[in-house]
Amino acid sequence: MQRFFQTFSIQGNRISLEALLNAREERALLQQQLLAKYQLPLLSVTLTAMGEVKKNPLLDYVFEKVLEKLTALFAQRKWIPSKKIVRALDSGHEAFFVLPVDAVELKRAMIELEDSTALARLWDLDVLDVKGRLLSRSDFNKPPRTCLICGENAKNCTRSRKHHIDEILLEMQHRTQAYYFAEQIGEKVYQALLQEAQLSPKPGLVDSLTNGAHQDMNLQTFERSALALKPFFIDFVLKGMETAALPENQVLSYIRPLGLLAEQAMFQTTHHTNTHKGAIFSFGLICAAIGRLAKLAHFRANELIFSIESICSLSAKFAQDLTKELEHYPDYLPITAGVRLYREYGLTGARGEAENGFQQIQMLLPLLDEYHQLDWEHRLLIALLHLMAKNPDTNVVHRGGLEALQFVQQSAIDLLKNQSLVLDKTKLTQALLKFDSACIIRNLSPGGSADLLALSIFFLFFRGN
């Protein structure tokens, strides 16, 4: 667990007041020069850097994150800077972007970015229009930025020196640690999704060999989708932190809107193909649970708090009564596949698995430990078979009914019974290729088991093996 936590140094060169004032004058002059030369709106980026040290490892990280966010935003909106200047000076980090976009539109985007996460409070994103006028939050009926410590008007606290510098620096450390932690978790989720997609052969599923029983997606579709979703898994962790003081049964209402945004990003990237809808749901709960536990542990590694059992148990509390939504689904709404399968067969799918605290995964992980002598890919193929043997996969039932589910489960069970085959990777691979062909002929894709496999891979990463 310790590898997910980071304490950032705040040591650096002290800057005199004279040097700081000179740097501000130089920055203002450069802004005017850029405005005069390009006659376009200007985005000026600096950091909230309290005290005499304006550049240190903590601020380096904060600056790196704002540049990443801006790069992603520019790409999403197809904004191409006419000029970009990035400088990490001892007097402070600064960046300038001359953009051929409407200044009002640019400022709205920057306000949204400033309000996006707790770390963003350390970013100052100033927008100047072509006449050099600084657009303010009040121009958009937005409240002024709040104090890092007390949440009051930041300018008032600064003028009155309400808070000691050590208190402010500690809060900056906490916010940076929180984002770093969320980023590490998001990266592990991303890697788990990639490894699940690339694992081959997987019966009926997209992998590096075939597209399985799918006509509308391939491995590259899954890889693009996973990359597009990575920022959202970071946000799920952060949302778990933000809602740590709320009752557990209220958290779902806060993470669901984020899940819908993640789905939109997925569909936009995949051209309306459902690659990871189930994974968004399950990982959203898991990431939020991890974020909440991290907040409650004050971002200190605690193996007891961060046990897989505790994470799954908390996720179950978030998902409490989710299956009742299937039972009481309004008649006036269009029937979804999940509702139809519940009404016809009583299957609860991903909702039921979450409500039960991902019991299939909790039972699978100790079993996988028995195969510790095998290579990583070999273990994952065995894991998939175990999931397919037991999981009442709604994706399979949706495509072929209960008869199809029985075929998939029994085929997996039969393979697992032959331990000499299971332990021989070459023989197992050949058997899985035949199983794959049989699923493709029947148009069956055990996508629910694939999602559970991705979760299993993540938990293996999480515990360090």
Side-chain angles (χ1 to χ4, degrees), residues 154-219:
K155 288 184 178 179
N156 294 340
C157 290
T158 300
R159 290 193 194 101
S160 64
R161 297 187 178 181
K162 182 178 179 180
H163 308 289
H164 192 275
I165 182 65
D166 290 344
E167 186 180 12
I168 297 172
L169 291 175
L170 182 60
E171 178 61 23
M172 291 172 64
Q173 182 74 246
H174 286 164
R175 292 184 184 224
T176 308
Q177 286 178 325
Y179 195 89
Y180 178 87
F181 177 84
E183 195 174 39
Q184 300 310 301
I185 299 301
E187 175 65 25
K188 293 302 181 186
V189 174
Y190 169 64
Q191 292 297 331
L193 291 175
L194 282 186
Q195 290 210 14
E196 182 281 315
Q198 294 165 356
L199 181 69
S200 306
K202 300 195 303 289
L205 296 162
V206 171
D207 56 32
S208 60
L209 301 176
T210 75
N211 296 341
H214 296 276
Q215 305 297 321
D216 57 347
M217 61 182 81
N218 55 30
L219 179 59

Side-chain angles (χ1 to χ4, degrees), residues 181-424:
F181 177 84
E183 195 174 39
Q184 300 310 301
I185 299 301
E187 175 65 25
K188 293 302 181 186
V189 174
Y190 169 64
Q191 292 297 331
L193 291 175
L194 282 186
Q195 290 210 14
E196 182 281 315
Q198 294 165 356
L199 181 69
S200 306
K202 300 195 303 289
L205 296 162
V206 171
D207 56 32
S208 60
L209 301 176
T210 75
N211 296 341
H214 296 276
Q215 305 297 321
D216 57 347
M217 61 182 81
N218 55 30
L219 179 59
Q220 289 70 41
T221 315
F222 275 85
E223 290 172 340
R224 291 197 307 271
S225 176
L227 183 60
L229 292 174
K230 182 178 174 181
F232 293 95
F233 296 123
I234 296 172
D235 289 342
F236 278 124
V237 179
L238 294 172
K239 189 62 69 175
M241 296 176 189
E242 292 170 17
T243 57
L246 293 177
E248 291 148 346
N249 62 2
Q250 293 183 17
V251 172
L252 186 63
S253 64
Y254 286 85
I255 62 177
R256 255 185 166 163
L258 184 56
L260 293 175
L261 290 175
E263 286 184 15
Q264 291 174 15
M266 174 193 72
F267 284 127
Q268 182 178 1
T269 300
T270 63
H271 305 294
H272 306 289
T273 299
N274 177 11
T275 46
H276 288 117
K277 191 172 181 179
I280 291 170
F281 170 77
S282 298
F283 274 116
L285 291 170
I286 292 294
C287 287
I290 291 173
R292 185 185 182 98
L293 292 172
K295 181 75 171 181
L296 296 176
H298 305 291
F299 304 104
R300 291 191 294 269
N302 187 313
E303 299 296 342
L304 179 62
I305 290 177
F306 286 101
S307 70
I308 291 172
E309 182 181 1
S310 65
I311 294 168
C312 291
S313 175
L314 184 54
S315 298
K317 292 175 182 177
F318 292 166
Q320 181 182 349
D321 296 330
L322 254 183
T323 54
K324 288 184 178 179
E325 294 181 358
L326 298 173
E327 183 179 349
H328 302 293
Y329 190 80
D331 291 333
Y332 60 84
L333 292 177
I335 299 296
T336 65
V339 172
R340 180 179 65 81
L341 293 174
Y342 175 76
R343 289 179 177 178
E344 292 183 15
Y345 307 111
L347 298 175
T348 56
R351 287 180 176 89
E353 185 63 25
E355 269 193 354
N356 290 327
F358 300 100
Q359 284 299 313
Q360 290 192 72
I361 295 173
Q362 292 198 63
M363 291 186 291
L364 174 67
L365 295 180
L367 189 150
L368 283 181
D369 291 339
E370 298 177 11
Y371 297 99
H372 64 88
Q373 77 279 11
L374 304 180
D375 69 52
W376 174 253
E377 185 180 75
H378 194 172
R379 292 171 69 197
L380 296 186
L381 291 173
I382 295 172
L384 178 60
L385 270 182
H386 278 281
L387 290 169
M388 292 173 67
K390 294 183 178 180
N391 182 35
D393 198 316
T394 53
N395 287 270
V396 173
V397 179
H398 175 64
R399 285 172 172 252
L402 291 180
E403 182 180 345
L405 178 62
Q406 184 179 6
F407 165 76
V408 168
Q409 290 181 329
Q410 191 59 52
S411 297
I413 290 170
D414 290 343
L415 288 176
L416 289 170
K417 285 179 180 177
N418 188 345
Q419 278 298 295
S420 63
L421 180 147
V422 169
L423 294 174
D424 187 318

Side-chain angles (χ1 to χ4, degrees), residues 126-137:
D126 292 335
V127 174
L128 292 85
D129 65 16
V130 293
K131 295 181 179 180
R133 184 177 73 91
L134 180 66
L135 278 63
S136 70
R137 293 173 64 92

Side-chain angles (χ1 to χ4, degrees), residues 9-27:
S9 171
I10 57 173
Q11 300 301 312
N13 296 328
R14 294 185 176 184
I15 301 299
S16 67
L17 178 59
E18 181 181 2
L20 185 60
L21 293 175
N22 288 337
R24 288 179 180 175
E25 288 182 5
E26 290 177 10
R27 183 162 60 247

